[in-house]
Amino acid sequence: MKNLLGGIQWAVFLIASSIAAPIAIAHVFGMDSGETTLFIQRTIFVLGAACLIQAFIGHRLPINEGPAGLWWGIFVVYAGMVGVMYPTSSDALQALQSGMIVSGFLFIVLALTGVINKMKKLFTPAITFTYLMLLILQLSGTFLTGMVGVDSSADRVDGVLFLGSLAVVLVTFLTMNHKIPWISRYSVLISIAVGWILFLAVGKATFITPDMDSFIRLPDVFVYGKPVWDTGIIVTASFITLLLIANMMASIRVMESLLKKSFSVTPPDRMKQGSIASGVNHLLAGLFSAIGPVPISGAAGFVGATRLSSLKPFIIGSVLIMVMTIFPSIMSVFAALPPAVAYAVTFAIFTKMVEMAFLELAGESNQLRAYKTAAIGLMIGVGIMFIPQQSMANLPQAFSAVLSNGLIIGTVIAICVEQFLLWRESKQLHN
């Protein structure tokens, strides 16, 4: 029973943290409600399958897969190219699904050639701290705007929504830190249930009538046509894959650190297997015309809050996700989760990530070097977050999507700075 409840909690967390991306992408491509529902179905199905693949043959850690933010940005960029470089939205989406397949093969090749193991050495405590802080800073604005109901500059703060979100945050904090073990273990599930009921009571959520038009529907494959050779997307996918590997490594590194410090568990090094599994997951994303998945760093905050470090509930949750996607009636209910509730619960979970970031930094032997590395990485990464994406519209699509991502650029800069400082220290020792 404990594993089943934990699995349900994982399933709810995965949906709540992943559903925004397919909805947003469907919107920019002008999909109608039916197309949007199917796009959500395919994406969530792939995410559930990706979690299982990682659990059985990949890194074997309780890290949920989510739509990669880098791919999200590429989708948005390609949506702007419809009518310019691509005649229709389907043509652009066909190129993107081909890009997923290219990325999948590249993941596997880099793992088999040993490049992955060499890259792992770059993720020191200072780099992990910088990555986590940039991730938190990048998402904190999204959490807060979602909690107050502001989607654009024309919107006004919704007081009722904000008070409701604040109540959900407080409930999440109380349950996460409760002395009764089962309450803290299922804090996310309890908080989402309480928040959903509260929002129904104040009129900020609606009762959903399940879609009963079709009882079972399996996700379609190659929705936009067979893979095509597109030089632009191949170059883009190759560059994006290298950055996704860095993202994957950081997420695995964060979870390994949490398991060692909080659960006294030292997981085996399976970075190579994790990369191969990520390659398979991207091949699935291309096959099912979905968004490329990546291990989510927020999983560490979730595990830290719920104490669900075992793989069993994680696997059960992943199976539940895949089963739910083939029942449109169930998916329609979960899709009705008030976004503000999801944002509020995730906001509380990510406070654990801040704690973890500073614990990582404290574990660095050379504190002065770590401070310099983090300072430069954070300054550049956060600075990029304030540059409007529209100002990079004249750049090639691959560069535009990457250079506008403060998380990736800040982390890469921090790696370069630290490697330079290490090289300089080594040179001084030999002189």
Side-chain angles (χ1 to χ4, degrees):
M1 187 64 181
K2 182 175 72 173
N3 287 330
L4 178 59
L5 288 175
I8 294 173
Q9 188 166 228
W10 265 115
V12 172
F13 176 69
L14 193 151
I15 290 178
S17 61
S18 303
I19 202 167
I23 291 175
I25 289 173
H27 175 72
V28 298
F29 274 98
M31 298 183 191
D32 59 31
S33 58
E35 292 171 329
T36 299
T37 300
L38 293 177
F39 187 57
I40 294 172
Q41 178 207 32
R42 296 194 302 272
T43 297
I44 300 297
F45 178 84
V46 167
L47 295 181
C51 290
L52 289 176
I53 290 169
Q54 289 286 12
F56 286 110
I57 68 170
H59 49 61
R60 293 183 180 172
L61 296 171
I63 307 175
N64 63 299
E65 298 273 323
L70 280 169
W71 277 121
W72 188 345
I74 293 295
F75 268 85
V76 172
V77 169
Y78 270 66
M81 296 164 64
V82 174
V84 181
M85 292 186 65
Y86 298 96
T88 66
S89 294
S90 293
D91 292 313
L93 290 165
Q94 184 181 26
L96 286 163
Q97 76 178 16
S98 303
M100 302 295 162
I101 295 173
V102 172
S103 182
F105 281 116
L106 190 55
F107 260 108
I108 295 171
V109 169
L110 292 175
L112 294 177
T113 54
V115 174
I116 297 295
N117 290 331
K118 294 179 181 178
M119 291 179 65
K120 184 181 179 181
K121 298 177 183 177
L122 300 175
F123 285 85
T124 63
I127 300 304
T128 305
F129 167 80
T130 305
Y131 172 84
L132 283 175
M133 289 305 298
L134 285 171
L135 177 67
I136 293 158
L137 292 169
Q138 187 176 58
L139 293 177
S140 60
T142 303
F143 295 154
L144 288 173
T145 54
M147 288 164 58
V148 299
V150 174
D151 294 322
S152 66
S153 57
D155 294 330
R156 296 292 178 266
V157 172
D158 187 324
V160 175
L161 201 69
F162 172 68
L163 291 175
S165 299
L166 186 61
V168 175
V169 171
L170 293 174
V171 169
T172 308
F173 276 128
L174 289 173
T175 53
M176 280 168 52
N177 300 288
H178 206 279
K179 294 181 179 180
I180 300 176
W182 72 266
I183 292 180
S184 61
R185 186 178 298 117
Y186 304 117
S187 57
V188 172
L189 193 59
I190 294 169
S191 301
I192 287 178
V194 170
W196 207 332
I197 293 170
L198 175 62
F199 274 57
L200 283 169
V202 298
K204 292 300 179 180
T206 56
F207 289 97
I208 297 296
T209 302
D211 178 13
M212 302 302 293
D213 291 340
S214 56
F215 183 63
I216 293 179
R217 173 156 185 168
L218 297 174
D220 299 320
V221 299
F222 291 135
V223 175
Y224 308 109
K226 295 180 180 179
V228 294
W229 180 272
D230 185 307
T231 305
I233 194 62
I234 289 174
V235 173
T236 300
S238 300
F239 190 49
I240 292 298
T241 302
L242 295 174
L243 299 177
L244 288 175
I245 289 173
N247 195 326
M248 176 197 71
M249 287 183 169
S251 297
I252 293 175
R253 173 75 176 78
V254 169
M255 182 59 75
E256 288 176 341
S257 178
L258 173 70
L259 293 177
K260 289 178 184 177
K261 294 177 181 177
S262 300
F263 299 92
S264 300
V265 174
T266 303
D269 182 2
R270 295 185 59 84
M271 195 71 76
K272 177 180 177 181
Q273 292 88 336
S275 181
I276 292 173
S278 289
V280 174
N281 294 340
H282 270 73
L283 293 175
L284 283 178
L287 176 66
F288 288 101
S289 305
I291 310 169
V294 68
I296 301 299
S297 301
F302 176 84
V303 171
T306 61
R307 314 300 293 176
L308 290 172
S309 61
S310 171
L311 269 180
K312 287 183 179 179
F314 176 73
I315 291 171
I316 291 172
S318 303
V319 172
L320 287 174
I321 284 294
M322 293 187 69
V323 171
M324 284 190 292
T325 58
I326 67 175
F327 293 97
S329 57
I330 297 178
M331 284 304 296
S332 64
V333 173
F334 271 94
L337 172 68
V341 173
Y343 284 126
V345 173
T346 310
F347 175 88
I349 289 172
F350 265 72
T351 60
K352 285 283 184 182
M353 301 284 286
V354 180
E355 296 176 22
M356 290 168 55
F358 282 101
L359 288 173
E360 277 292 315
L361 189 63
E364 177 61 70
S365 57
N366 190 323
Q367 290 288 301
L368 182 60
R369 183 178 66 233
Y371 292 154
K372 288 180 179 178
T373 298
I376 297 174
L378 288 172
M379 284 287 289
I380 293 176
V382 173
I384 288 174
M385 294 178 191
F386 285 93
I387 299 176
Q389 288 190 346
Q390 296 85 344
S391 63
M392 299 185 185
N394 61 326
L395 298 175
Q397 62 266 28
F399 288 101
S400 175
V402 173
L403 292 177
S404 61
N405 191 315
L407 170 64
I408 295 299
I409 295 300
T411 303
V412 171
I413 291 296
I415 290 173
C416 294
V417 170
E418 184 174 57
Q419 291 302 308
F420 171 75
L421 293 175
L422 286 168
W423 171 80
R424 191 173 66 177
E425 290 172 12
S426 176
K427 189 176 180 182
Q428 290 173 347
L429 286 173
H430 288 86
N431 289 338

